Amino acid sequence: MLDFEYHAPTHVVFGKNAVEKVGTLVKEQGCKKVLIHYGGGSAKRSGLLDRVAQSLEAAGVAYIQLGGVVPNPRLGLVKEGIALCRKEGVDFILAVGGGSVIDSSKAIGYGLTNEGDVWDYYAKKKVPTACAPVGAVLTIAAAGSEMSNSSVITNEDGWLKRGLSSEYSRCKFAIMDPTLTYTLPAYQTASGAADIMMHTMERYFTAVDVPMNLTDNLAEGLLRSVMKDVTAALRNPEDYEARAGLMWASSLSHNGLTGCGTDGGDWASHQLEHELGGKYDVAHGAGLCAVWSSWARTVMPANPARFAKFAVNVMGVEPGADDMETANRGIDAMEAFFQSIGMPTRINQMGITLSEEDMRELAHKCSFMNTRKIGKFVPLDREAIYEVYKLASK
Ligand code: NZQ
Ligand code: ZN
């Protein structure tokens, strides 16, 4: 096991009706005024926003609201939120929604506490030194932003989707009531589950070859559990135990736990998806499924034994004649699983036909204009990235 630091400071309040505690939790933060930030309408339709507002009022907490966050959240609304919070003297942001709303809230938090254009921090031109406090009422098990140190924002100018990670942005608290996810469309349930799995899979496929028995067991168990739970939740959207399993896995898969003692993981699939999400506005988890097997087939020969372990322990594959064969069976099995939950395993299955020029452009942007390689299992340069997009388009 490699040396590591693990920091998961978010106060989790999990269970049915947990949202009733939101007023007290916000009050404990000692803030003057709260921005309730939300998405395109699901939280309004379900009555969740009213419940949140009532709880804040009962606790005597002043608030204003700003909705309209879209999946692949936009910089434009972030800037609007920053200006509104400055004008209104807001000092706490309460995200009511999924990863997109939480990420938009974190971005507003960065904008309120750091000098200049907030995009400069996402573009890696500057390093943030603070983030205004954010809390979350989670409505979808997926991105894990409720406990992660990340925020991912899309800049409409050039349609660049970029992430910013820092400890300042960890949520102060996360309220997780699995019943809030009963209303999710099946596609979002599946896409969310795929993202949860990918956060652990990115960490599992590391470049280092050190013993990681406990971390591997945690990762493999989480993956088996999510596959079982998402299948059950798709069959019966009101299966509480399945929804609860998914919601807790969303947080555990991206708060660092399943990567302790590794080198931090690969993350190439996420980088490949970010270009698709930025340009074509695809659901994040679906975009990951569309590229994962092409990435896996490209890099697997560098360490077939690792993929064979994954095949046997996660996908339940019978070992073949050698690691290479077992590894390939595992990748096939994961593709079949993604298909079984309605996820794409090729880019064209999302209704996107990439031309040669499109693939070159995506690869160019993904390699930060040919200045970086992505991934650690096998670092991929611009040409290799292009080859993965090409394979994923067949
Ligand atoms: O906007 P509303 O109307 O709420 O609809 C949303 C949205 O259309 C809907 N939804 C959410 N909860 C619902 C619901 N519909 C019915 N009932 C509910 N209870 O679901 C749709 C997707 O919501 P979104 O917040 O976009 O989903 P998700 O949590 O998957 O977040 C995706 C974003 O997070 C980023 C992704 O790139 C993407 O931009 N990520 C953030 C990470 C982080 N901060 O750590 C890590 C991830 O790897 C990821 O990159
Ligand atoms: Zn993700």
Side-chain angles (χ1 to χ4, degrees):
M1 201 184 275
L2 299 180
D3 298 346
F4 65 90
E5 289 189 24
Y6 180 60
H7 185 225
T10 304
H11 176 182
V12 173
V13 183
F14 194 101
K16 288 175 186 162
N17 297 319
V19 69
E20 279 158 23
K21 298 192 179 137
V22 68
T24 312
L25 287 164
V26 171
K27 192 157 188 152
E28 280 170 10
Q29 295 296 320
C31 53
K32 290 199 284 291
K33 203 177 209 179
V34 174
L35 173 71
I36 302 176
H37 201 30
Y38 61 96
S42 73
K44 207 172 222 170
R45 282 193 301 278
S46 66
L48 176 61
L49 272 184
D50 288 342
R51 292 170 72 195
V52 168
Q54 277 160 19
S55 181
L56 292 185
E57 281 160 24
V61 176
Y63 64 86
I64 56 167
Q65 302 192 15
L66 178 65
V69 179
V70 293
N72 298 313
R74 308 290 199 265
L75 181 63
L77 189 69
V78 167
K79 290 191 171 172
E80 200 183 306
I82 296 167
L84 179 68
C85 289
R86 286 220 172 98
K87 184 168 145 261
E88 295 280 342
V90 164
D91 55 359
F92 189 90
I93 304 140
L94 181 62
V96 181
S100 295
V101 174
I102 302 171
D103 286 3
S104 185
S105 300
K106 290 177 177 180
I108 293 172
Y110 280 126
L112 285 175
T113 48
N114 294 281
E115 291 290 310
D117 185 347
V118 71
W119 183 251
D120 286 347
Y121 300 91
Y122 287 80
K124 313 279 181 291
K125 288 186 194 156
K126 291 182 187 168
V127 178
T129 54
C131 182
V134 174
V137 178
L138 189 64
T139 64
I140 172 172
S145 185
E146 67 277 6
M147 282 189 88
S148 82
N149 66 354
S150 306
S151 160
V152 186
I153 295 295
T154 295
N155 188 341
E156 301 91 326
D157 182 8
W159 296 106
L160 292 174
K161 180 173 172 177
R162 296 289 178 257
L164 171 57
S165 299
S166 86
E167 292 305 313
Y168 305 116
S169 72
R170 300 255 190 200
C171 285
K172 300 294 174 201
F173 62 78
I175 294 175
M176 300 188 213
D177 177 348
T179 67
L180 296 178
T181 64
Y182 287 173
T183 51
L184 277 168
Y187 192 77
Q188 291 297 341
T189 296
S191 175
D195 190 23
I196 296 170
M197 293 175 69
M198 284 298 308
H199 293 156
T200 285
M201 285 155 67
E202 295 272 27
R203 290 174 168 92
Y204 189 89
F205 292 104
T206 69
V208 294
D209 215 1
V210 295
M212 299 181 290
N213 195 34
L214 175 59
T215 297
D216 278 359
N217 278 308
L218 287 172
E220 291 162 1
L222 183 143
L223 290 167
R224 289 193 304 269
S225 182
V226 171
M227 287 194 285
K228 187 165 170 275
D229 285 339
V230 67
T231 305
L234 288 172
R235 208 177 298 128
N236 172 15
E238 301 199 7
D239 180 332
Y240 182 81
E241 291 307 324
R243 291 295 192 183
L246 290 173
M247 198 166 230
W248 190 216
S250 159
S251 300
L252 294 187
S253 196
H254 205 26
N255 74 4
L257 181 69
T258 59
C260 290
T262 75
D263 62 354
D266 185 77
W267 298 102
S269 299
H270 267 73
Q271 300 307 312
L272 293 162
E273 189 287 328
H274 281 181
E275 299 313 319
L276 295 173
K279 183 155 185 210
Y280 300 103
D281 208 16
V282 300
H284 172 64
L288 290 169
C289 293
V291 296
W292 182 78
S293 53
S294 299
W295 167 83
R297 291 195 175 94
T298 301
V299 304
M300 182 271 284
N303 187 353
R306 189 72 181 151
F307 274 88
K309 185 175 194 237
F310 176 83
V312 173
N313 292 354
V314 179
M315 303 312 297
V317 161
E318 284 293 319
D322 58 24
D323 280 347
M324 194 77 112
E325 187 188 331
T326 311
N328 274 318
R329 284 191 196 166
I331 297 169
D332 292 346
M334 183 50 86
E335 267 193 331
F337 172 75
F338 284 151
Q339 285 160 8
S340 79
I341 61 169
M343 285 290 102
T345 49
R346 294 287 179 282
I347 293 169
N348 53 21
Q349 290 165 9
M350 297 187 293
I352 300 163
T353 308
L354 294 180
S355 66
E356 178 71 18
E357 201 187 343
D358 293 330
M359 289 186 279
R360 290 277 174 207
E361 186 202 339
L362 287 172
H364 188 58
K365 282 160 80 177
C366 190
S367 65
F368 286 2
M369 320 309 167
N370 207 18
T371 61
R372 69 157 181 175
K373 292 180 181 175
I374 62 165
K376 286 191 190 156
F377 198 86
V378 175
L380 305 174
D381 62 13
R382 185 175 65 177
E383 190 61 23
I385 295 169
Y386 159 79
E387 291 294 341
V388 177
Y389 282 129
K390 201 167 165 185
L391 196 56
S393 300
K394 281 193 175 145

